[in-house]
Amino acid sequence: PSGTVHAKRLLIATNGYSSEDVPHWLAGRTMPKQSSVIVTRPLTAEERAAQGWTSDLMAYDSRSLLHYFRLMPDGRFLFGMRGGLNARPGTEARIRAKIRADFNARSFTPYTGPVPGMKNTWTSMAYHGNGVAMASYGGALVADLMRGRAPTHPYPATMQTLPGRFPLGRRRRVLLAAGLPLKALSDML
């Protein structure tokens, strides 16, 4: 607090949790956001293969409050999401419950497989903004399935799980109409 530093050049290398007054110019220019992760135990090669996980590259979804995930060097699977605004015990407990629920949720993932109750009928759908790449990938999977062959590409369990239904059924677009302005606002923040 009482020291003085003399330098010809100064670099301020900082992030969201910076002081608001070193220098005063920084005040109000960053937005701190916490990020929370959970990590599994090390997964065996067989477990990774059963899920179709073939890469250690980090991936993320297209949500405004995104999820991100990757296979760690020691074989554990990391799943993360935006956290709370503070590190108080109540906030941390809510984030822990939310991240675990999001990790376990599979009901809105892409699906490739048979259409229930319709003989000799298949589908590949629900690509969530990754249409071109996922449609090509899903097309290769469903082509094998329709021929009665085991897929030549990884066919993860999540893509074999029937997608859930959105709330409000056929009127679900009402949610979209209400939600889009909120998403646009959140993208500005």
Side-chain angles (χ1 to χ4, degrees):
S2 61
T4 301
V5 175
H6 297 277
K8 290 182 180 179
R9 291 181 177 84
L10 173 66
L11 170 66
I12 300 170
T14 186
N15 208 345
Y17 293 95
S18 302
S19 171
E20 287 283 314
D21 62 355
V22 181
H24 291 289
W25 176 86
L26 278 177
R29 295 186 187 272
T30 60
M31 179 68 74
K33 288 185 183 175
Q34 291 182 346
S35 194
S36 300
V37 301
I38 57 175
V39 180
T40 68
R41 63 170 169 71
L43 303 175
T44 66
E46 294 80 23
E47 288 172 319
R48 292 191 306 267
Q51 294 299 318
W53 198 262
T54 60
S55 170
D56 61 356
L57 295 177
M58 191 277 295
Y60 60 93
D61 61 22
S62 59
R63 298 163 36 111
S64 293
L65 298 176
L66 62 84
H67 295 122
Y68 50 94
F69 35 94
R70 69 178 289 243
L71 188 63
M72 297 177 70
D74 65 357
R76 293 179 299 157
F77 187 78
L78 177 143
F79 180 81
M81 63 179 266
R82 285 290 167 222
L85 297 177
N86 61 58
R88 293 185 187 117
T91 303
E92 292 294 318
R94 283 189 296 278
I95 291 298
R96 254 192 316 278
K98 173 78 171 125
I99 195 170
R100 186 60 195 212
D102 285 5
F103 179 76
N104 290 335
R106 294 188 188 208
S107 60
F108 296 114
T109 56
Y111 174 70
T112 297
V115 174
M118 297 184 74
K119 186 176 180 181
N120 295 323
T121 306
W122 292 265
T123 188
S124 189
M125 57 184 268
Y127 305 131
H128 304 294
N130 298 304
V132 174
M134 284 300 292
S136 299
Y137 192 84
L141 290 174
V142 80
D144 285 338
L145 295 173
M146 291 178 74
R147 292 182 188 130
R149 300 178 186 166
T152 56
H153 293 38
Y155 186 31
T158 54
M159 289 185 73
Q160 298 176 46
T161 303
L162 293 171
R165 294 186 188 276
F166 286 92
L168 303 180
R170 292 180 186 262
R171 293 182 182 85
R172 69 192 177 281
R173 291 180 187 219
V174 170
L175 293 175
L176 189 59
L180 284 177
L182 293 174
K183 291 289 186 188
L185 179 62
S186 73
D187 285 341
M188 291 177 11
L189 298 177

